[in-house]
Amino acid sequence: MVEPSKKPLNILVRYRNSVIRIKLKNDYEYVGRMLICDSYMNLILTEADEYKGNDPSAHYGNIFIRGNNILYIQLRA
Amino acid sequence: MVEPSKKPLNILVRYRNSVIRIKLKNDYEYVGRMLICDSYMNLILTEADEYKGNDPSAHYGNIFIRGNNILYIQLRA
Amino acid sequence: MVEPSKKPLNILVRYRNSVIRIKLKNDYEYVGRMLICDSYMNLILTEADEYKGNDPSAHYGNIFIRGNNILYIQLRA
Amino acid sequence: MVEPSKKPLNILVRYRNSVIRIKLKNDYEYVGRMLICDSYMNLILTEADEYKGNDPSAHYGNIFIRGNNILYIQLRA
Amino acid sequence: MVEPSKKPLNILVRYRNSVIRIKLKNDYEYVGRMLICDSYMNLILTEADEYKGNDPSAHYGNIFIRGNNILYIQLRA
Amino acid sequence: MVEPSKKPLNILVRYRNSVIRIKLKNDYEYVGRMLICDSYMNLILTEADEYKGNDPSAHYGNIFIRGNNILYIQLRA
Amino acid sequence: MVEPSKKPLNILVRYRNSVIRIKLKNDYEYVGRMLICDSYMNLILTEADEYKGNDPSAHYGNIFIRGNNILYIQLRA
């Protein structure tokens, strides 16, 4: 459809080492620095805070999120 | 089935840089300018407003939506 | 199994530019003219009315429906 | 596993132009003459009646049912 | 992993023409003689009784069950 | 990723003829001797007891469990 | 997208013989030493404790968790 460098997953890769915010299908959110991701949207966040609503509910040194649970990812503009 | 240029996903690609409205399976809606999409309907919106019902509930500079959550996309006629 | 020209999706293609009625798994229905479809049953309707029950709830100039949400499609006899 | 002519889907094909009864995962049933089917169990019924429980709730001239919604199909013995 | 003749689906094939009991994910059960099955666990039962709990709720001359709805199958020891 | 002999499914195969305990997504548990399994985690248990909570609710001579319903399997240490 | 050694699943493999904490989609959590994993995120934990909320609810010598049930995995920083 589009040239490879212009696919969404290739843009996501550019956010390695940046802070992203992930919302899962179960409404939990995770904010942390993305260490790595793959084409299934499996990804590892470091120093991640978990939110359910407005308050942080947990902190994780490293968390591996299975991509198929993801609803969307907020990226810096 | 049909010639490639006439497939729905090829028409969706033509809406890059246009404002689209996406409804997810969880009833949330996102209105923003589509930067990019792929054949899974993964896509990135910029300057996106989130709606649950009639009122905007959040604004995102850049949001990466995982395609398998999408119910439908409204395109300009 | 059967010769290609006799598969359901090939028959669906013949309804391009015809008005069809789509029921989604979430019980919403969409009536509009089908511009295009693919083998995943992704399709674009134009001048589409949305129904939840008997009353139209919205109108869309162009709507791209993700095929995996479809329950069935009513075709003209 | 078994020779092709002895697979369930090959037997289903033989019921083209016969009246079958389909039960979907959402408990709706459709009774009509099967015009055509494919290996995903996508199929088109003609002159189909819809049932929710014992009473017919709608009639369709032609209805294309997406195979992944099907629970089972009753075939004439 | 194991030699083909020793896979579960190959054992299931040996129960052709035997009476089996199938439990679906929606808790319905079907008891009948298996005419045929494939590698998706699609199968056709003949002279099948349907159970919801202890009492038979319906009888089918031939029923084609879509494999992905199956929870388990009871086989004669 | 890892050498074949060191994959989880290869370890599971070694438990053929051992008693295992399977928990399904619907919370039912099955304890029996595993006759056979494949790479989809389809497996056959013999002399299996079914549990819903602490009490056995049924006994099966042979039960074929469809792998995609499995949550986890307890193996002897 | 990225070089193989830098994919999330390759990092997960490095945690073999380390204690990890797994959260499933049904909210249960399992803490134990990971013996092995594969590319589907199927994995075996040894000496695993099960949690539903804050209190341990069970202990397993060896537990094989089917990867598609996993929400996320906590890894040591």
Side-chain angles (χ1 to χ4, degrees):
Chain A
M1 283 170 67
V2 292
E3 40 177 314
S5 69
K6 290 195 175 157
K7 289 190 170 175
L9 289 165
N10 289 330
I11 288 185
L12 182 60
V13 170
R14 293 188 208 151
Y15 283 83
R16 284 179 57 186
N17 295 315
S18 297
V19 173
I20 63 174
R21 185 179 192 104
I22 298 171
K23 182 153 186 171
L24 302 189
K25 294 178 188 174
N26 66 359
D27 278 336
Y28 276 86
E29 295 182 66
Y30 298 87
V31 180
R33 189 160 55 85
M34 182 175 72
L35 289 185
I36 203 171
C37 65
D38 67 16
S39 61
Y40 302 103
M41 293 180 67
N42 295 323
L43 46 76
I44 297 178
L45 294 185
T46 189
E47 299 304 330
D49 288 307
E50 179 184 82
Y51 293 83
K52 175 81 175 188
N54 289 320
D55 298 315
S57 49
H59 182 82
Y60 305 105
N62 277 315
I63 183 169
F64 180 125
I65 296 179
R66 201 172 197 267
N68 71 329
N69 300 296
I70 293 175
L71 200 64
Y72 62 73
I73 302 173
Q74 274 181 261
L75 306 170
R76 278 174 308 110
Chain B
M1 282 170 69
V2 292
E3 40 176 315
S5 69
K6 290 194 174 159
K7 289 190 170 174
L9 289 165
N10 288 330
I11 287 185
L12 183 60
V13 171
R14 293 188 208 151
Y15 283 83
R16 285 179 56 186
N17 295 316
S18 297
V19 173
I20 63 174
R21 185 179 192 104
I22 297 171
K23 182 154 186 171
L24 301 189
K25 293 178 188 173
N26 66 359
D27 278 336
Y28 275 86
E29 295 183 65
Y30 298 86
V31 180
R33 189 159 55 85
M34 182 175 72
L35 289 184
I36 203 171
C37 65
D38 68 17
S39 60
Y40 304 102
M41 294 181 66
N42 295 323
L43 45 77
I44 298 178
L45 294 185
T46 188
E47 298 304 329
D49 288 307
E50 179 184 82
Y51 294 82
K52 176 80 174 188
N54 289 319
D55 298 316
S57 49
H59 182 83
Y60 305 105
N62 276 314
I63 183 169
F64 181 125
I65 296 179
R66 202 173 197 265
N68 70 331
N69 300 295
I70 292 175
L71 199 64
Y72 63 72
I73 302 174
Q74 273 180 263
L75 306 171
R76 278 175 306 110
Chain C
M1 283 170 67
V2 292
E3 38 176 315
S5 69
K6 291 193 173 158
K7 289 190 169 173
L9 289 165
N10 289 329
I11 288 186
L12 183 59
V13 171
R14 293 188 208 151
Y15 283 83
R16 284 179 57 187
N17 295 315
S18 297
V19 173
I20 63 173
R21 185 178 192 107
I22 297 171
K23 183 153 185 173
L24 301 189
K25 293 178 189 174
N26 66 359
D27 279 336
Y28 275 86
E29 295 182 67
Y30 297 87
V31 180
R33 189 160 54 85
M34 182 175 72
L35 289 184
I36 203 170
C37 65
D38 67 17
S39 61
Y40 304 103
M41 294 182 64
N42 295 323
L43 45 78
I44 297 178
L45 293 185
T46 188
E47 298 305 328
D49 288 307
E50 180 184 83
Y51 294 82
K52 176 79 174 188
N54 290 319
D55 298 315
S57 49
H59 181 84
Y60 304 105
N62 276 315
I63 183 169
F64 181 124
I65 296 178
R66 203 174 196 265
N68 70 330
N69 300 295
I70 293 175
L71 199 64
Y72 63 73
I73 301 174
Q74 272 181 263
L75 306 171
R76 278 175 306 111
Chain D
M1 283 170 67
V2 292
E3 39 176 315
S5 70
K6 291 192 174 160
K7 290 190 169 174
L9 289 166
N10 288 330
I11 288 185
L12 182 60
V13 171
R14 294 189 208 149
Y15 283 83
R16 284 178 57 186
N17 294 316
S18 297
V19 173
I20 63 174
R21 184 178 192 106
I22 297 170
K23 183 153 185 172
L24 301 189
K25 294 178 188 173
N26 66 359
D27 279 336
Y28 276 87
E29 295 182 66
Y30 298 87
V31 180
R33 189 160 55 85
M34 182 175 72
L35 289 184
I36 203 171
C37 64
D38 67 16
S39 61
Y40 303 103
M41 294 182 65
N42 294 324
L43 46 78
I44 297 178
L45 294 185
T46 188
E47 298 305 328
D49 288 308
E50 179 184 82
Y51 293 82
K52 176 78 174 188
N54 289 320
D55 299 315
S57 50
H59 181 84
Y60 305 105
N62 276 315
I63 183 170
F64 181 124
I65 295 178
R66 202 172 195 267
N68 70 330
N69 300 295
I70 293 175
L71 199 64
Y72 63 73
I73 301 174
Q74 273 181 262
L75 305 171
R76 278 174 307 111
Chain E
M1 284 170 67
V2 292
E3 39 177 314
S5 69
K6 290 191 174 160
K7 289 191 170 173
L9 289 166
N10 289 330
I11 288 186
L12 182 60
V13 171
R14 293 188 209 152
Y15 282 84
R16 283 178 58 186
N17 295 315
S18 297
V19 172
I20 63 174
R21 184 179 192 105
I22 297 171
K23 183 152 186 174
L24 301 189
K25 293 179 188 171
N26 66 359
D27 278 335
Y28 276 86
E29 295 182 66
Y30 298 87
V31 180
R33 188 159 57 84
M34 182 175 71
L35 289 185
I36 203 171
C37 65
D38 68 15
S39 61
Y40 302 103
M41 293 181 67
N42 294 324
L43 45 77
I44 297 178
L45 293 186
T46 189
E47 298 305 329
D49 288 308
E50 179 184 83
Y51 293 82
K52 176 79 175 189
N54 289 320
D55 298 315
S57 51
H59 181 84
Y60 304 105
N62 277 314
I63 183 170
F64 180 123
I65 296 178
R66 202 171 196 267
N68 70 330
N69 300 294
I70 293 175
L71 200 64
Y72 62 72
I73 302 173
Q74 273 180 262
L75 306 171
R76 279 174 306 110
Chain F
M1 283 170 67
V2 293
E3 40 177 313
S5 69
K6 291 193 174 158
K7 289 190 170 174
L9 289 166
N10 289 330
I11 289 186
L12 182 60
V13 171
R14 294 189 208 151
Y15 282 83
R16 284 178 58 185
N17 295 315
S18 297
V19 173
I20 63 173
R21 185 180 191 103
I22 297 171
K23 182 152 185 172
L24 302 189
K25 293 178 188 173
N26 66 359
D27 277 336
Y28 276 86
E29 294 182 66
Y30 297 86
V31 180
R33 188 159 56 83
M34 182 176 71
L35 289 185
I36 203 170
C37 65
D38 67 16
S39 60
Y40 302 104
M41 294 181 67
N42 294 324
L43 45 76
I44 297 178
L45 293 186
T46 189
E47 298 304 330
D49 288 308
E50 179 184 83
Y51 294 82
K52 176 79 176 189
N54 289 320
D55 298 316
S57 50
H59 181 83
Y60 305 105
N62 277 315
I63 184 169
F64 180 123
I65 296 178
R66 201 172 198 266
N68 70 329
N69 300 295
I70 293 175
L71 199 64
Y72 62 72
I73 302 174
Q74 274 180 262
L75 307 170
R76 278 175 307 110
Chain G
M1 285 169 67
V2 292
E3 40 176 314
S5 69
K6 290 193 174 158
K7 290 189 170 175
L9 289 165
N10 289 330
I11 288 185
L12 182 60
V13 170
R14 293 189 208 150
Y15 282 83
R16 284 179 57 185
N17 295 315
S18 297
V19 173
I20 63 174
R21 186 179 191 104
I22 297 171
K23 182 153 187 172
L24 302 189
K25 293 178 188 172
N26 66 358
D27 277 336
Y28 276 86
E29 295 183 66
Y30 297 86
V31 180
R33 189 159 55 84
M34 183 175 72
L35 289 184
I36 203 170
C37 65
D38 67 16
S39 60
Y40 302 103
M41 294 181 67
N42 295 323
L43 46 76
I44 297 178
L45 293 185
T46 190
E47 299 304 330
D49 288 307
E50 179 184 83
Y51 293 83
K52 176 79 176 190
N54 289 320
D55 298 316
S57 50
H59 181 83
Y60 304 105
N62 276 316
I63 184 169
F64 181 124
I65 296 178
R66 201 172 197 267
N68 70 329
N69 300 295
I70 293 175
L71 199 64
Y72 62 73
I73 302 173
Q74 274 181 262
L75 306 170
R76 277 174 308 110

